[in-house]
Amino acid sequence: MALLRGLLWPFQTWNEFFLPIGRWISIVAIALMVLVILIQVFYRYLLNNALPWPDEAARFMMLWMTGLMAPIAFRRGGFVAIDMLVEALPRAVGRALALVLLLISAGVLLVALPIGLNELTGFNAKFATSSLRIPVSIDFSEWMKVPRWWMQGSLFVGVVLIFIVNIELILRALIEMMGGEVKSLLPPEDEIMAE
């Protein structure tokens, strides 16, 4: 039991430190996404002159928001799940089945890791976005197209973070199966209502 708790500590500490940072970055990303979409609506429908970059900028923000929020949702049990069978089984069997499902998830994530890495380093990553540009000089006289891998990095980061969360959940499941107690990952009820 002490070994499992010792293994759990670094994963739990990592997730408790980095996932809230990802949450706040995601909040900024969704706010910027809404702002960019409103700018596009204003230019397209009121000025009848659509801008070329807001669609891609909003997609950029959405991808990063998803990559950073998915691990939080997974850790809190926020993914859509059919848990009728796990709940209907005896407690020990249900926990064993939940552990098997977490192990299968780990296998899928291990397959996804090289795919995400390939998106960062492969052929498609060598291109730039078509309309999204950022200034590269202080006086805004020079602009650079945003490399496509900046967007696609969200896939790799999301998969890595979900994999780390998955390892934590596997260790928690093992500790619980052995009769140990672990603190709940769900926020207090009043915090849920505030979100």
Side-chain angles (χ1 to χ4, degrees), residues 113-125 152 156:
L113 281 170
I115 294 170
L117 185 60
N118 187 46
E119 289 296 319
L120 289 177
T121 59
F123 178 73
N124 198 25
Q152 295 165 340
F156 183 68

Side-chain angles (χ1 to χ4, degrees), residues 17-61:
F17 182 78
F18 284 105
L19 294 184
I21 293 170
R23 180 175 185 250
W24 283 106
I25 293 170
S26 296
I27 290 169
V28 170
I30 198 166
L32 290 173
M33 185 175 75
V34 169
L35 178 67
V36 164
I37 290 169
L38 290 174
I39 289 170
Q40 180 68 326
V41 167
F42 175 78
Y43 272 85
R44 181 178 301 235
Y45 296 110
L46 295 177
L47 301 181
N48 202 23
N49 185 16
L51 297 172
W53 58 269
D55 295 335
E56 226 166 1
R59 192 175 314 118
F60 183 91
M61 298 300 166

Side-chain angles (χ1 to χ4, degrees), residues 2 33 46 50 58 81 86 109 118 135 141 159 194:
M33 185 175 75
L46 295 177
V86 172
L109 290 166
N118 187 46
S141 61
V159 169

Side-chain angles (χ1 to χ4, degrees), residues 116 134 157 173-174:
I134 58 169
V157 169
L174 287 170

Side-chain angles (χ1 to χ4, degrees), residues 186-193:
L186 296 175
E189 192 66 34
D190 57 339
E191 190 178 316
I192 292 174
M193 295 307 290

